[in-house]
Amino acid sequence: MMIPLVRKSLTCLFFENSSFLRQSHASLSHYFSTKTENQTVDARKVSDFLLHKHHFSPEAASQVASVLTRLKNPEKSDSVLSFLKESGFSGTQVEKVVKYRPEFLSANLETIIKPKIKVFQDFGFSADEIAEIVSKEPLVLHCSMKNRLIPSLAVLKGLLGSNVEVAKVLKTSGWFLVIDLEKTLVPNVEFLKSCGISIEQIIRLMPIFPRFFLHKPKIMRKFVEKADEMGVDRSSGMFIYAVRVVSSMNKETWELKMKIFQNLGFSEDDILRVFRSAPMVFSVSEKKIKQIIEVLLENGKYDMSCIISNPTSLMYSVENRYKPRLQVLEALEKRNLLKNWPGFGTMHIMSDKKFFEKFVAPYLDEVGKIYTAKSVQKRR
């Protein structure tokens, strides 16, 4: 008698629990569904706020709303955006700042954002310069004023000498304001100067290769040692470029680049000679190198020895320099208007203005359309 009773009890319990589980599942589904719907509504409110009140682009508003699904304090967000605009930020620059870190919409204007902007103002930067620097690296609004922002600006001003030069560097990379310059930039500059590199060259290259100067000093010394091993003369104006190229490649990348040149017909001596005289050639992609060589050798007027003797030729544009020039010279030759082809060194290094004056202007009726068409493509 007990067994049927137990079975009946278990059966009842099973169905009762099943009913409970179904109810629980339904409740959870309803909870999550409601939560998702609420989040969607909140995100739409964020997007509408940015679109209609502050004229963000639909793409930017959607991107911010996908990360920041709710504005805890719309008034605070409104104050932040209005302040940036009043401080000289364009609509596009404001979008950049907010897209980079949507949390800025909830930041405390008085304690977080205003003081950072004031630091730049106190250093003498114009409203336009501040807007461009901050929108380039919005993280500066989040870094410590005392430990990073003020000391970094002081170091840069002392090294570069003017706000114009400092702004030029910061517009290319805001990393100079978020990294400890006393442990990176300052010792690197002193070391490079001790290698014979002038401060003028360093200042000129900082906006072009900003992160190069921010390596750890111990690593920078290894880069210099490698350039020395390659036989680059420290008194050469190319030495710092050689060091910079070394810094951009690990052992595997370096070996791959060597193989590329060897496959194209360069001997090891040729490769070393190229590196010593034009190290930046090693930054050119394999695809571009092959395209340039193919175009330059195609009509038989120049050979590989011309390229090896003029390695900087591998750094120019196929579409904007070589094709239009070669087409003009070929057209002149067909019309018996070209007695001798210009030497390779002259052809590849001549400025656009001089090339036009010598080979296009005197024969505008014959080749003007060819060169003009390419010039229009270049401007586009």
Side-chain angles (χ1 to χ4, degrees), residues 97 100-101 104 116 133-144 148-149 174-175 177-179:
V97 172
Y100 177 85
R101 183 156 288 195
F104 280 137
K116 309 292 173 52
I133 291 168
V134 173
S135 61
K136 179 69 180 180
E137 184 54 76
L139 188 59
V140 301
L141 293 177
H142 195 68
C143 66
S144 167
R148 191 66 73 238
L149 189 56
W175 278 82
L177 294 178
V178 297
I179 288 178

Side-chain angles (χ1 to χ4, degrees), residues 19-34:
S19 176
F20 171 76
L21 289 172
R22 285 196 299 272
Q23 291 174 6
S24 299
H25 178 72
S27 297
L28 286 171
S29 298
H30 176 71
Y31 167 76
F32 286 117
S33 175
T34 303

